[in-house]
Amino acid sequence: MEYRKHKRKPIELHISFAGEQVVGKGTVCNISLVGCGVNSQEKVTAGAFLEVLIHLPGGQDLIKIDVAVVRYALPDRFGLDFLQISPGEQQKLNKLLKSR
């Protein structure tokens, strides 16, 4: 049963992230206007705040999430909620979601 307010769309994009305790990379496996799922071998902790760069297809552009919070963390996967994103970056995210 799906309880999300914003449906996540399956996708495969590279992601870079950094926080107080971690710097890492992974793959976005699903995304919505307010969050994403990430496959990664990096150890993150639920509740941690991260700065996130989502690499768009073609490798020419990025979506920068100024602040995201880790909502859950498993050994090889975690979920992020986007807390702070600039209007320009939000437009890029909207465009990405509309293209899927």
Side-chain angles (χ1 to χ4, degrees):
M1 186 175 284
E2 184 77 25
Y3 293 105
R4 297 184 191 282
K5 185 175 181 180
H6 297 276
K7 184 172 171 71
R8 290 195 177 179
K9 295 184 178 188
I11 199 163
E12 191 170 318
L13 297 171
H14 295 289
I15 187 171
S16 309
F17 51 89
E20 203 171 289
Q21 301 289 327
V22 66
V23 174
K25 295 183 179 191
T27 303
V28 176
C29 58
N30 61 58
I31 195 165
S32 76
L33 287 173
V34 298
C36 67
V38 178
N39 293 324
S40 177
Q41 297 302 309
E42 298 296 331
K43 302 287 187 217
V44 297
T45 305
F49 294 99
L50 303 176
E51 181 178 349
V52 175
L53 297 173
I54 299 172
H55 305 257
L56 294 174
Q60 298 299 315
D61 205 0
L62 302 166
I63 297 173
K64 180 181 178 190
I65 312 298
D66 295 314
V67 180
V69 63
V70 178
R71 288 295 178 204
Y72 70 88
L74 302 172
D76 61 353
R77 183 180 165 123
F78 60 91
L80 293 174
D81 279 351
F82 304 150
L83 299 181
Q84 188 175 343
I85 181 171
S86 73
E89 300 301 299
Q90 186 69 57
Q91 285 180 345
K92 291 183 204 177
L93 180 56
N94 292 347
K95 184 177 177 183
L96 173 67
L97 290 167
K98 287 179 183 176
S99 72
R100 298 285 166 198

